[in-house]
Amino acid sequence: MPDNSPRIVMKFGGTSMAGIERIRTVAARIKREVEAGNQVAVVVSAMAGETDRLVNFCREASSLYDPHEYDVVVSSGEQVTSGLLAIALQAIGVPARSWLGWQLPIRTSDGHASARIGEIETSRLNESLARGEVAVIPGFQGVAAGERVTTLGRGGSDTSAVAMAAAMNADRCDIYTDVDGVYTTDPRIVPRARKLKRVTYEEMLELASVGAKVLQTRSVGLAMKENVRVQVLSSFVDDDAPLGSAEPGTLIVSEEELGTMERQLITGIAHDKNEAKITLTAVPDRPGSVASIFSPLADANINVDMIVQNVAHSTGSTDVTFTVPSADLAKSLDVLGKAQGDIGYTELVHDTRVAKISVVGVGMRSHAGVASTMFKTLGERGINILAITTSEIKVSVLIEEDYTELAVRVLHTAYGLDAEDAA
């Protein structure tokens, strides 16, 4: 195959690889890209549910498992699918070879279960592509110093694919999932949600960070840093569907490439129920008191999102409320409980029956009134706002979980996203 052939990275998630028949369907799709004259590298996830099964094995073996050995176990799911896909490609006449993370190699930090990619050596990969082979690479894994296997954290195969595309100077990175693109909100909540043709890196990064599950947050950040053109497509399509270069998915691009013609005020509404609210009552109102709360949480690698501090009154104390990921609630309560003497709070209260609702759009930079529309719309429906946080292109509020779907629906309408020309 000529060295100047277009290079693409195709990434297939767990539902796309769920069983031999699905893998054969993926192989047929890859074959069509090869026959179109493309050099193809494929990044695969483990079969749907497999990583959870392997994680549970580790937990059953020991509640205090060694993270080095955890990575050895959980990375095996992607090793299986990469080998099976290579076999399936060979069976239909497509030269293919699997390349494990340590074989290329994909060099990472030594943060086991949450490693970060530092460098991908591509000499072997380039030789394989030049021979006309499809390179099949297990996502989610790499190798650290000492040649120990590492994993990138849940959803890490997206990051693997984008990093591979950057290292290969690929023309694009196609992420095949169980959805056919990025929508203005969850279509299961709002049937009139519309698929977006293009979304900026910044918008996708915000959407991913506040609950949209289409792409892993780290993968979007890497794509923005390396200027990798990412396309979200569905792997659940007919055999005669268009190739990735023509299929109408959602393209993740720079704001400059999006241009002003396609730009709209609000791009999407996201929701996230994986939040927990913590309130510390009667915190002494003195310099350094807030630091005494959040420093130990930071030391424990717990990310704090929304923060609300009530105005201090004559008592000389104040209440401080903030949110953390639900998965970190138990650890947060333990850390704060041990630090009570240093902080000086009276009571520690928590609530998991909350949800974060976010509106995202680059149009906020040049339009006023986005936040007021949100607050007014929710207020008219009797939905109380518990906390607020903002960025340049995002406004998020914390509400009671029971109002999640209502909030998403009314905001989607308020910003005109369910109009016929929303996409």
Side-chain angles (χ1 to χ4, degrees):
M1 185 171 292
D3 289 339
N4 62 351
S5 299
R7 285 187 167 187
I8 64 171
V9 172
M10 305 173 71
K11 183 265 177 180
F12 293 92
T15 52
S16 305
M17 305 297 292
I20 296 301
E21 286 308 311
R22 289 297 310 157
I23 290 174
R24 287 184 178 137
T25 299
V26 167
R29 192 165 188 80
I30 295 168
K31 181 178 182 179
R32 294 176 61 211
E33 292 285 1
V34 172
E35 290 174 342
N38 296 316
Q39 291 186 350
V40 180
V42 184
V43 175
V44 296
S45 297
M47 293 184 185
E50 181 65 9
T51 301
D52 287 337
R53 188 178 74 93
L54 296 171
V55 169
N56 287 333
F57 280 153
C58 292
R59 291 171 176 165
E60 289 176 14
S62 172
S63 59
L64 298 174
Y65 52 74
D66 182 344
H68 297 73
E69 303 308 331
Y70 168 92
D71 279 354
V72 172
V73 174
V74 299
S75 64
S76 64
E78 283 76 11
Q79 178 172 329
V80 170
T81 50
S82 62
L84 289 174
L85 180 56
I87 292 171
L89 285 165
Q90 293 167 4
I92 58 175
V94 178
R97 183 61 62 202
S98 63
W99 295 92
L100 302 185
W102 60 268
Q103 290 176 307
L104 286 174
I106 300 172
R107 303 269 178 206
T108 75
S109 66
D110 61 358
H112 288 272
S114 59
R116 292 187 173 272
I117 296 175
E119 179 187 13
I120 299 177
E121 297 181 22
T122 59
S123 56
R124 291 180 177 179
L125 179 64
N126 289 333
E127 291 170 3
S128 177
L129 294 173
R131 292 193 296 268
E133 295 175 345
V134 171
V136 185
I137 302 157
F140 178 59
Q141 67 171 244
V143 59
E147 306 306 308
R148 297 297 308 182
V149 172
T150 57
T151 62
L152 309 182
R154 299 309 293 263
S157 293
D158 286 348
T159 300
S160 298
V162 172
M164 192 61 59
M168 291 170 52
N169 293 315
D171 293 85
R172 68 178 194 273
C173 178
D174 291 345
I175 307 288
Y176 286 88
T177 70
D178 53 359
V179 297
D180 62 349
V182 179
Y183 281 73
T184 51
T185 196
D186 189 338
R188 293 169 297 183
I189 295 177
V190 182
R192 295 191 67 190
R194 299 306 178 105
K195 184 172 66 176
L196 298 159
K197 296 176 182 178
R198 296 185 177 215
V199 178
T200 69
Y201 293 124
E202 289 179 281
E203 289 171 325
M204 193 65 242
L205 190 60
E206 290 283 18
L207 287 168
S209 69
V210 295
K213 307 299 183 185
V214 179
L215 292 174
Q216 187 208 40
T217 305
R218 280 171 57 188
S219 71
V220 182
L222 181 61
M224 181 166 63
K225 175 177 176 289
E226 300 293 339
N227 199 30
V228 174
R229 299 175 89 247
V230 177
Q231 187 172 210
V232 179
L233 304 163
S234 174
S235 59
F236 292 84
V237 294
D238 297 331
D239 292 338
D240 59 352
L243 294 176
S245 58
E247 188 172 337
T250 298
L251 196 61
I252 318 298
V253 298
S254 66
E255 190 172 345
E256 291 74 21
E257 185 174 344
L258 180 69
T260 58
M261 293 296 291
E262 296 182 68
R263 194 172 303 170
Q264 52 191 21
L265 176 60
I266 297 300
T267 296
I269 314 290
H271 69 283
D272 188 359
K273 295 183 179 180
N274 297 312
E275 295 278 323
K277 178 168 70 84
I278 297 175
T279 299
L280 305 183
T281 66
V283 176
D285 183 30
R286 60 173 182 252
S289 61
V290 173
S292 68
I293 298 171
F294 297 113
S295 292
L297 292 172
D299 292 340
N301 293 317
I302 297 170
N303 292 322
V304 175
D305 186 8
M306 301 178 170
I307 302 173
V308 177
Q309 181 175 354
N310 293 338
V311 177
H313 296 289
S314 56
T315 59
S317 64
T318 183
D319 294 344
V320 178
T321 298
F322 55 91
T323 62
V324 298
S326 294
D328 289 334
L329 176 60
K331 186 195 294 187
S332 300
L333 296 178
D334 180 62
V335 168
L336 294 168
K338 292 176 180 176
Q340 183 174 12
D342 294 329
I343 300 171
Y345 65 84
T346 299
E347 187 178 7
L348 179 60
V349 182
H350 67 276
D351 185 2
T352 58
R353 301 184 304 273
V354 294
K356 179 168 64 176
I357 310 295
S358 305
V359 297
V360 176
V362 292
M364 291 186 195
R365 290 190 177 125
S366 55
H367 291 79
V370 172
S372 63
T373 297
M374 185 181 199
F375 303 154
K376 179 181 178 182
T377 301
L378 296 177
E380 289 174 345
R381 293 303 185 107
I383 301 173
N384 189 38
I385 296 173
L386 307 175
I388 303 168
T389 187
T390 65
S391 75
E392 191 177 20
I393 63 169
K394 176 197 72 179
V395 181
S396 297
V397 298
L398 192 71
I399 64 172
E400 294 178 24
E401 184 182 54
D402 291 345
Y403 291 103
T404 302
E405 294 191 5
L406 175 61
V408 170
R409 287 196 297 269
V410 297
L411 289 172
H412 198 268
T413 299
Y415 290 110
L417 296 178
D418 51 2
E420 288 301 319
D421 59 352

